[in-house]
Amino acid sequence: MKILVIAPYFDEPHRWMISGQKTAYELSRNHQVIVLTTGQKVSVEKKNKNLKIYRIKDIFLRDPVNYSIIPGLLSAIRKIVQQEKPEAFLINKHMFFSSLAIWPLKRMGKYVVVQTDTFPGINWFPKNKAVGIVMWIYARLIGNPILRKADKVILLHEGLVEDAKKLRLKYEVIHNGINLQEFDSYPVPNDLHKKKGEIWVGYVGRLESVKGWYDLAAVAKKLVPTHKTLHFFFIGPTLHAEERIKEFIHPQIHFLGLRKDVPGIDKLLDVFVMPSLSEGLSNAIMEAMAAKCCCLVSRVGGNMILVQDEVTGRLFKKGDQTDLKNKLLDLINDLETSKNLGVKARERIEAEYDLRKNVRRIAAILNS
């Protein structure tokens, strides 16, 4: 089967959408996959014998908007369909430019499947209220009516079901996940050395306002003067966040930038924190859980599906630095409990978030 995957961002150093990227790579094990996405310049890349990427230039509106405008989207879709003749069509993410592709593909008579972990403007909002209002209007005038034209919408977590019913979508819940065999093979990085008695707390993600990383950094700055063995690690691209990072310069607060060895770093962490203000099904949380790391996450979106409070991790009120600090102190002061929560988290990933098994279910839908 030849599959066209349309994804907002793919394999870029400063922005990414992991769910679409992981799905495309996994599908390419057994199928031919063509990806239409954005890039710094127009290009065609061959990632492996079954995976080809077409990049088209975009006009990217930075944080807090984080949205791409693609003047050449419709012509690019027509050209790729004519040249590559794909048999199946998978669109990753709702409300990004990629979802606009539903309309021309349906006009061509194609069977279109959408994969999403959020409904922006309904259950996902940025920190900036003005942008949130525009998103709310856009969702109701353009985004949601287009989404209803999809033949099937794959929801990445159960927290979206009630909204999918209200939107009258034809949906199915299929989790994203982790390839545990590959994940477990990652070694601990050679350039990071954890001393005996140190406690490491980590965050992985873009340094954007909606991710809430600033709340964790503010808590870190309050704690490190009195907790000399406590270290905080922020992993993710620092582009456009340089000025804010300067507020948190401290020997125990580390900004590592973009890393390709996150699974290895996760294995060194005692606690992983995801302080996002809105979130889908976070790959960063799933990887931390796979590493048996105790996760402390904000009570939003897919975070509440992945992490069951006091069973597979802990939850705190979004944007509440006091609640975040108190819950974090509970975990670092009782590392035995934290370790047990991490073990239960790994068991949950093994049971429900097996990437290969879940992508096979997506392939079966596309093949229909």
Side-chain angles (χ1 to χ4, degrees):
M1 180 167 54
K2 182 179 277 191
I3 305 165
L4 174 61
V5 175
I6 302 178
Y9 317 114
F10 196 100
D11 229 359
E12 288 191 273
H14 64 293
R15 54 185 186 177
W16 62 86
M17 291 291 174
I18 294 296
S19 59
Q21 186 171 316
K22 287 167 60 174
T23 300
Y25 273 107
E26 190 61 36
L27 284 169
S28 72
R29 291 179 184 272
N30 300 301
H31 306 279
Q32 284 185 278
V33 178
I34 303 102
V35 175
L36 174 61
T37 188
T38 56
Q40 298 298 308
K41 60 182 180 179
V42 176
S43 65
V44 180
E45 304 168 16
K46 190 79 172 175
K47 290 293 185 178
N48 59 47
K49 66 177 183 177
N50 284 337
L51 181 59
K52 184 190 293 186
I53 299 177
Y54 287 86
R55 296 192 186 274
I56 52 178
K57 289 192 69 172
D58 65 328
I59 301 168
F60 183 61
L61 307 178
R62 289 182 356 214
D63 191 39
V65 179
N66 296 310
Y67 187 87
S68 286
I69 298 172
I70 315 291
L73 177 63
L74 299 183
S75 60
I77 291 171
R78 284 195 294 266
K79 183 178 179 181
I80 289 174
V81 170
Q82 290 170 0
Q83 286 183 354
E84 298 287 352
K85 295 180 172 53
E87 303 154 287
F89 301 84
L90 177 63
I91 293 173
N92 179 251
K93 291 289 187 178
H94 171 46
M95 284 277 287
F96 288 83
F97 80 86
S98 51
S99 64
L100 296 175
I102 298 171
W103 178 74
L105 289 174
K106 290 306 298 177
R107 289 289 299 269
M108 296 178 198
K110 306 303 182 182
Y111 184 89
V112 179
V113 178
V114 176
Q115 178 192 41
T116 191
D117 60 352
T118 59
F119 291 128
I122 295 177
N123 58 22
W124 190 102
F125 288 94
K127 186 173 183 178
N128 185 287
K129 290 184 179 179
V131 176
I133 291 170
V134 173
M135 182 180 290
W136 188 93
I137 296 170
Y138 179 88
R140 282 149 183 82
L141 295 181
I142 300 173
N144 297 340
I146 289 177
L147 184 62
R148 291 191 192 102
K149 295 182 181 297
D151 295 281
K152 180 79 75 172
V153 178
I154 294 173
L155 310 178
L156 293 181
H157 64 83
E158 293 83 354
L160 301 176
V161 167
E162 288 305 312
D163 287 319
K165 289 177 179 178
K166 292 175 184 176
L167 290 169
R168 305 186 305 279
L169 303 177
K170 298 177 283 293
Y171 69 87
E172 185 169 340
V173 178
I174 303 178
H175 297 151
N176 204 357
I178 300 291
N179 183 326
L180 289 171
Q181 185 177 2
E182 289 184 0
F183 183 89
D184 291 342
S185 68
Y186 271 86
V188 170
N190 293 325
D191 61 326
L192 297 178
H193 304 285
K194 188 175 185 179
K195 297 178 181 177
K196 186 176 180 180
E198 287 185 344
I199 300 171
W200 285 18
V201 177
Y203 161 85
V204 178
R206 301 182 301 276
L207 300 187
E208 294 173 358
S209 55
V210 74
K211 288 294 186 178
W213 70 273
Y214 182 88
D215 289 330
L216 178 60
V219 168
K221 194 169 183 180
K222 293 175 184 176
L223 290 180
V224 289
T226 55
H227 295 74
K228 299 301 182 182
T229 60
L230 187 58
H231 287 257
F232 290 83
F233 294 84
F234 293 81
I235 299 117
T238 57
L239 188 66
H240 308 308
E242 296 88 351
E243 288 302 312
R244 298 214 78 175
I245 288 173
K246 290 178 182 177
E247 299 176 41
F248 307 107
I249 299 299
H250 190 278
Q252 291 164 245
I253 302 176
H254 315 272
F255 289 87
L256 303 184
L258 185 66
R259 300 278 298 216
K260 297 291 187 181
D261 54 356
V262 170
I265 298 174
D266 282 338
K267 295 168 186 177
L268 293 171
L269 300 178
D270 296 287
V271 180
F272 176 88
V273 181
M274 178 56 73
S276 39
L277 305 180
S278 287
E279 190 65 66
L281 193 72
S282 168
N283 183 74
I285 295 175
M286 285 190 285
E287 288 190 342
M289 293 172 71
K292 300 181 183 178
C293 180
C294 178
C295 292
L296 173 60
V297 305
S298 53
R299 201 179 289 272
V300 297
N303 293 4
M304 296 185 291
I305 301 299
L306 285 169
V307 176
Q308 301 153 301
D309 199 23
E310 299 190 67
V311 179
T312 57
R314 294 301 312 272
L315 300 172
F316 69 94
K317 185 179 178 181
K318 72 171 184 178
D320 189 330
Q321 293 182 14
T322 300
D323 194 29
L324 169 56
K325 184 181 75 171
N326 291 339
K327 296 279 176 61
L328 180 57
L329 285 172
D330 288 344
L331 292 172
I332 64 176
N333 289 329
D334 187 358
L335 291 178
E336 189 61 32
T337 295
S338 299
K339 185 177 180 180
N340 291 335
L341 290 172
V343 170
K344 292 295 184 183
R346 168 69 185 218
E347 291 173 359
R348 181 163 170 76
I349 294 297
E350 290 176 352
E352 298 186 39
Y353 296 89
D354 183 313
L355 179 66
R356 289 190 173 184
K357 182 173 70 175
N358 293 340
V359 170
R360 282 197 295 269
R361 292 178 60 195
I362 295 174
I365 290 174
L366 292 170
N367 198 35
S368 68

